[in-house]
Amino acid sequence: MSKTAELKLNGQTYELPVIEGTEKEIAIDIGELREKSGAITLDLGYKNTGATKSAITFLDGDQGILRYRGYAIEELAEKSTFEEVSYLLIFGKLPTRQELEEFSYDIRTHTLVHEDIKKILDGFPSTAHPMGVLASLFCAQTAFYPESLDPNRSDELVYLSIIRSLAKMPTFAAWSYKNALGHPVNYPDNELDYCSRFLKMMFALPGQRYEVDPVVAQALNQLLILHADHEQNCSTSTVRIVGSSRASIYASISAGINALWGPLHGGANQEVIVMLENIRKDGGNIEKWINKAKDKNDPFRLMGFGHRVYKNFDPRAKIIKRAADGVLAKLGVKDPVLDIAKKLEEVALQDDYFVERKLYPNVDFYSGIIYRALGLPVDMFTVMFAMGRLPGWIAQWKEMRDNKEPIGRPRQIYVGERLRPYVPIDQRG
Ligand code: SDX
């Protein structure tokens, strides 16, 4: 592999260093390109641009590979727990039994949120989308923990902020749901594990006994693991760039929650169910909707299909598709949209339009079907994605901080007006 790349520009040849990652990916380091040649690169959507060097998650989009700190997602989804995967992503190794018990204890003892946060929650109408509530409550922690405003104050404080983030996210998520229902909130039951604690806060009703179904808790555990990190996606890049200004971890992650909300990103899981329901109500005419997705004059896209990196099956989609069958069977749930989803996938993957563009089901295509079977309402689906992605956002923010990466500030190519004189208002056309 050559150590340098040559760029020929305006009769000059510039040598640029080439770097290679541990999985043989290569990059041309253009850190000195502008200084050497006066030119910058332009790459709308950063489709070919690396923003950092990271040791957290490895994706191979052509092979459909996803690994957290070197461990295959298939193994982690089958054998690990969400708290253990959170520790792995954030601290770079699988915890010993004692380390995991201490980590779990620290999380369990920080699940309560300041009662004054309820005053913020009460200010939201029940019509507020839970993602907007979640982003606001998460950022409100900057007001209750002002010492967190300096992310470089101490490693101990960063650890405490990490624990508070993981501990309080489920409480905020469940409270945003209760707010939408106009129900009183539930407080965390610290006798329960991470997923069970969340489910009880979500679904327990005043004066009624609530037992967590272990099938539901295990399905949620697996879904959160599958969403835990995904290298430099839109919301993680948002967390990194906001954090690069030395904004607090709470402000950086709140920005990530907002980026995830978009329907092209984490909001897709909600849009998939809306799409499948529309197809069902339309009589299940798969061909019609496939043709709409292919029609350039039709804004409709097959939600849950396609991916910036995966040009093969998203490995998470394969696992979730298998889990959907299992969870619905165990819960005795028949969901007509699951059959529609499978038929849609089957037809699309035989259609040249999708095959040529290497458009496969992504993580969002089947996840909503399981969330619905678990009793979660559609507009909570992206909140679940945010809960799952939280340890990844934390790990990436911490890596950016620990590596003392510079503030993110991309360049541009200006295509606006050349210099022109000011025109007094009475002389304007
Ligand atoms: C997530 O980055 C991550 O890692 C994200 C994520 C994570 O874990 O963080 O994996 C989570 O966000 C998954 C993606 C969820 N979004 C959706 O399911 C929305 C539907 N998908 C598309 O909007 C699209 O596929 C994207 C946004 C996911 C990717 O878009 P790209 O990489 O910018 O690709 P593109 O829009 O340039 O599409 C390339 C071609 C275009 O056709 P042509 O112009 O070449 O003719 O494929 C077409 C697109 O029109 N296309 C689709 C399509 N997705 C792409 N056509 C119909 N239906 C689709 N879903």
Side-chain angles (χ1 to χ4, degrees):
M1 192 274 298
S2 58
K3 295 290 184 205
T4 59
E6 282 190 357
L7 172 72
K8 293 187 189 314
L9 181 65
N10 301 331
Q12 296 271 344
T13 300
Y14 303 95
E15 272 211 341
L16 298 166
V18 173
I19 62 170
E20 185 181 43
T22 44
E23 291 292 344
K24 307 300 178 205
E25 300 162 303
I26 58 171
I28 300 167
D29 183 339
I30 58 169
E32 296 178 357
L33 176 67
R34 188 171 180 275
E35 185 186 322
K36 284 181 177 174
S37 72
I40 64 167
T41 57
L42 184 64
D43 183 20
L44 298 185
Y46 310 112
K47 294 189 176 187
N48 306 283
T49 298
T52 189
K53 291 186 280 189
S54 177
I56 299 169
T57 291
F58 172 66
L59 301 186
D60 180 321
D62 297 323
Q63 304 297 320
I65 291 173
L66 169 57
R67 297 186 198 132
Y68 296 158
R69 298 285 188 179
Y71 296 95
I73 190 63
E74 293 81 3
E75 277 209 280
L76 294 171
E78 185 193 336
K79 301 172 183 172
S80 189
T81 65
F82 180 61
E83 281 187 334
E84 182 177 78
V85 165
S86 298
Y87 188 102
L88 169 66
L89 286 167
I90 295 166
F91 301 109
K93 73 180 191 74
L94 285 171
T96 61
R97 186 177 299 279
Q98 184 181 342
E99 286 168 336
L100 184 58
E101 283 171 0
E102 287 168 3
F103 185 63
S104 186
Y105 173 81
D106 289 346
I107 290 171
R108 220 172 25 251
T109 51
H110 285 85
T111 52
L112 263 181
V113 298
H114 194 291
E115 274 296 294
D116 284 353
I117 284 199
K118 277 175 63 184
K119 294 174 184 164
I120 301 170
L121 180 70
D122 292 343
F124 283 99
S126 59
T127 52
H129 192 291
M131 282 295 276
V133 177
L134 185 68
S136 305
L137 298 186
F138 201 93
C139 197
Q141 295 180 97
T142 51
F144 294 89
Y145 309 113
E147 68 283 3
S148 68
L149 293 178
D150 173 5
N152 293 334
R153 178 164 318 178
S154 74
D155 291 345
E156 294 70 24
L157 185 62
V158 167
Y159 178 78
L160 181 54
S161 300
I162 288 171
I163 289 295
R164 281 173 170 153
S165 297
L166 289 165
K168 300 176 194 306
M169 174 69 103
T171 307
F172 292 143
W175 285 16
S176 67
Y177 172 56
K178 288 300 192 185
N179 180 66
L181 294 178
H183 285 185
V185 297
N186 290 317
Y187 286 85
D189 176 349
N190 291 331
E191 295 298 312
L192 299 174
D193 64 50
Y194 198 89
C195 291
S196 301
R197 191 160 59 228
F198 168 71
L199 290 166
K200 186 172 181 183
M201 281 193 281
M202 281 286 290
F203 298 118
L205 291 170
Q208 292 181 25
R209 186 171 169 70
Y210 178 81
E211 285 295 328
V212 177
D213 181 333
V215 172
V216 175
Q218 176 46 27
L220 181 58
N221 176 65
Q222 188 172 69
L223 281 165
L224 294 180
I225 288 172
L226 290 168
H227 286 81
D229 192 53
H230 215 240
E231 53 129 285
Q232 306 308 315
N233 58 83
C234 176
S235 54
T236 299
S237 301
T238 302
V239 170
R240 275 183 170 258
I241 202 160
V242 171
S244 72
S245 73
R246 285 205 191 169
S248 81
I249 188 171
Y250 302 128
S252 304
I253 288 172
S254 177
I257 294 170
N258 283 299
L260 186 73
W261 195 355
L264 293 187
H265 189 16
N269 58 16
Q270 174 172 340
E271 297 301 321
V272 167
I273 289 294
V274 170
M275 171 187 77
L276 293 173
E277 278 294 357
N278 288 339
I279 294 173
R280 185 178 67 83
K281 287 173 193 153
D282 186 46
N285 184 341
I286 302 289
E287 290 296 335
K288 170 185 171 186
W289 289 87
I290 290 279
N291 291 331
K292 279 173 65 68
K294 292 159 57 176
D295 180 358
K296 290 302 168 204
N297 299 316
D298 189 324
F300 173 75
R301 279 197 160 182
L302 209 49
M303 300 313 279
F305 251 74
H307 197 277
R308 174 61 57 76
V309 175
Y310 289 123
K311 301 308 173 191
N312 194 327
F313 254 93
D314 181 332
R316 302 167 297 178
K318 280 185 184 173
I319 298 168
I320 294 175
K321 179 181 178 182
R322 276 200 307 275
D325 285 327
V327 169
L328 269 67
K330 283 180 187 170
L331 295 175
V333 170
K334 282 292 289 167
D335 190 342
V337 300
L338 176 57
D339 298 332
I340 291 177
K342 288 180 177 177
K343 187 72 181 151
L344 208 54
E345 174 189 338
E346 183 191 334
V347 173
L349 296 187
Q350 292 167 23
D351 184 295
D352 287 346
Y353 173 94
F354 293 88
V355 172
E356 284 159 12
R357 291 167 178 79
K358 298 183 179 179
L359 302 176
Y360 290 87
N362 59 47
V363 67
D364 294 312
F365 192 62
Y366 286 103
S367 55
I369 292 166
I370 298 186
Y371 288 142
R372 194 153 81 158
L374 301 185
L376 290 156
V378 171
D379 63 6
M380 280 294 289
F381 289 5
T382 311
V383 169
M384 303 311 299
F385 195 144
M387 259 179 64
R389 186 51 53 87
L390 178 60
W393 287 332
I394 291 171
Q396 300 272 351
W397 179 90
K398 184 174 180 294
E399 183 179 68
M400 178 272 305
R401 171 195 178 267
D402 294 349
N403 293 346
K404 296 182 174 45
E405 294 191 9
I407 184 169
R409 202 271 184 222
R411 310 292 298 222
Q412 64 163 26
I413 293 294
Y414 176 71
V415 294
E417 296 285 345
R418 307 286 309 273
L419 177 65
R420 51 182 174 165
Y422 180 82
V423 178
I425 191 161
D426 299 330
Q427 296 171 29
R428 295 171 199 163

